[in-house]
Amino acid sequence: MEFRRKDLLGMAELEPEEIRFILDTAASFKEISTRSIKKVPTLRGKTVVSLFYEASTRTRMSFEIAAKRLSADTVSLTVAASSVTKGETLEDTAHNLEAMAPDILVIRHQASGAAQFLARRLKCGVINAGDGLHEHPTQALLDLLTVREAKGRLDGLKVAIIGDIAHSRVARSNIHAFTKMGSRVTVAGPPTMLPPHLEDLGAQVTFSLTDAVRGADVIMMLRLQLERMGQMYLSTLREYSTYFGLAERHLKLAKKDVIIMHPGPLNRGVEISAEVADGPHSLILEQVTNGVAVRMAVLYLLMGGGEKG
Ligand code: CP
């Protein structure tokens, strides 16, 4: 197939065939990261600019590593040391960066819709690396790749997504992603952390962790996003952990070969116990490894790699 998008803004906009094509491309790129010289000339002469208004370890590093493995030049703006601190707007910052002729701008921003706002205004490609409470499409793609590798398929799986759904762009992208690929998604969390209309996205909703994990092929735990919530969402961390923290005893309810995922960073002992995070069912570090391959694929395809002749 041909992949003719300028931007990657969310999973909601992608067709299942496009998702499959990105995953297949990512799978073919994985081998490059196992070589002693981890570099191919595919994107030589291209420039990738990263603009992160929020903290990041995995996404920011893996976009940079992905671009370098494909021989693109990378530039990363440290927002806290930029003219943003002097009041420059997002639009002005982006236009000034575009004036230096990058091919792709990777943006993470606290405002939902920030990536789309720039995509409409810039000629260069825009990749959403997480916008507010909205979407984090490359996280969902790396999660799909990790599950597909582990299970050999995506259709017919029971995927439980547990925790702070209301503040989670990862949850929103993954609900779109897994339902489009034929998985059954169940979300669980306290009522204060479950937004309305989740059923409209194709997810089943429960307030019980045990109901969600029963028979699950995949359990995805979400970080409790304390920085995005006020006091009204939960009474104490201990109470949250008692009802929605994943511990070893819960795994007995799931399929024998259940896999445990978490986008990171972990709140160990809050939403997931250390034994589960580091245990034999955990694919948390495989997710990070796959993040590089998925971002290589997305950069490659947005820069014309998916076009025929
Ligand atoms: N999963 C994820 O987005 O991690 P970072 O915030 O470290 O990029």
Side-chain angles (χ1 to χ4, degrees):
M1 74 165 282
E2 292 181 68
F3 192 89
R4 286 186 165 275
R5 289 184 181 269
K6 169 182 154 306
D7 313 297
L8 176 65
L9 304 178
M11 296 306 294
E13 70 199 25
L14 292 182
E15 300 296 330
E17 309 84 68
E18 292 180 291
I19 295 172
R20 219 167 279 121
F21 191 51
I22 297 170
L23 299 183
D24 291 345
T25 306
S28 73
F29 278 140
K30 273 194 84 169
E31 177 270 328
I32 295 168
S33 295
T34 66
R35 298 180 190 175
S36 57
I37 297 175
K38 303 174 183 63
K39 211 173 180 71
V40 292
T42 313
L43 296 183
R44 195 164 51 201
K46 303 287 187 186
T47 305
V48 177
V49 168
S50 295
L51 182 55
F52 277 60
Y53 283 76
E54 285 187 339
S56 170
T57 297
R58 283 145 288 268
T59 311
R60 185 170 168 171
M61 284 298 101
S62 61
F63 264 114
E64 189 154 344
I65 289 171
K68 286 183 192 303
R69 295 222 165 130
L70 295 173
S71 299
D73 296 314
T74 60
V75 189
S76 189
L77 184 75
T78 305
V79 169
S82 75
S83 292
V84 172
T85 60
K86 301 175 193 166
E88 192 165 43
T89 65
L90 172 63
E91 184 171 7
D92 281 340
T93 301
H95 278 306
N96 278 273
L97 293 174
E98 189 177 50
M100 299 180 224
D103 296 281
I104 294 273
L105 183 73
V106 180
I107 177 157
R108 170 170 288 190
H109 199 278
Q110 61 277 9
S112 302
Q116 187 176 49
F117 177 84
L118 292 188
R120 287 202 182 131
R121 287 161 178 78
L122 302 182
K123 288 186 206 67
C124 71
V126 174
I127 299 176
N128 180 6
D131 62 329
L133 311 182
H134 177 224
E135 282 233 35
H136 190 351
T138 57
Q139 178 69 44
L141 288 164
L142 73 88
D143 291 338
L144 288 174
L145 182 62
T146 305
V147 173
R148 196 177 75 165
E149 282 178 353
K151 301 289 178 191
R153 67 192 166 100
L154 293 166
D155 60 298
L157 299 176
K158 179 176 178 182
V159 178
I161 304 179
I162 295 161
D164 179 11
I165 311 289
H167 294 94
S168 178
R169 54 199 177 205
V170 173
R172 218 166 312 282
S173 284
N174 268 318
I175 293 168
H176 286 302
F178 279 94
T179 53
K180 279 175 194 244
M181 302 313 284
S183 301
R184 289 173 290 117
V185 176
T186 300
V187 297
T192 51
M193 295 182 199
L194 291 173
H197 309 304
L198 285 167
E199 290 92 346
D200 296 345
L201 301 182
Q204 289 196 330
V205 180
T206 170
F207 302 132
S208 158
L209 181 146
T210 51
D211 284 351
V213 304
R214 192 169 288 117
D217 299 280
V218 178
I219 302 175
M220 185 181 297
M221 301 307 294
L222 298 174
R223 182 172 71 87
L224 198 56
Q225 302 202 29
L226 296 165
E227 76 280 13
R228 291 193 206 274
M229 59 174 70
Q231 287 291 312
M232 69 280 273
Y233 288 93
L234 78 173
S235 46
T236 64
L237 284 182
R238 183 190 288 251
E239 185 181 279
Y240 180 83
S241 183
T242 301
Y243 289 104
F244 292 100
L246 188 71
E248 278 191 313
R249 67 181 183 282
H250 298 122
L251 304 193
K252 293 186 180 73
L253 300 170
K255 293 258 176 70
K256 254 196 182 129
D257 59 350
V258 66
I259 60 173
I260 308 301
M261 304 173 75
H262 191 302
L266 306 178
N267 293 308
R268 282 173 184 268
V270 179
E271 70 262 0
I272 189 166
S273 72
E275 292 73 27
V276 175
D278 302 330
H281 295 275
S282 172
L283 292 185
I284 293 171
L285 292 179
E286 280 78 357
Q287 289 174 263
V288 179
T289 300
N290 283 336
V292 174
V294 155
R295 287 162 183 136
M296 287 169 81
V298 168
L299 291 170
Y300 169 73
L301 293 173
L302 291 182
M303 286 197 249
E307 287 179 22
K308 282 183 187 146

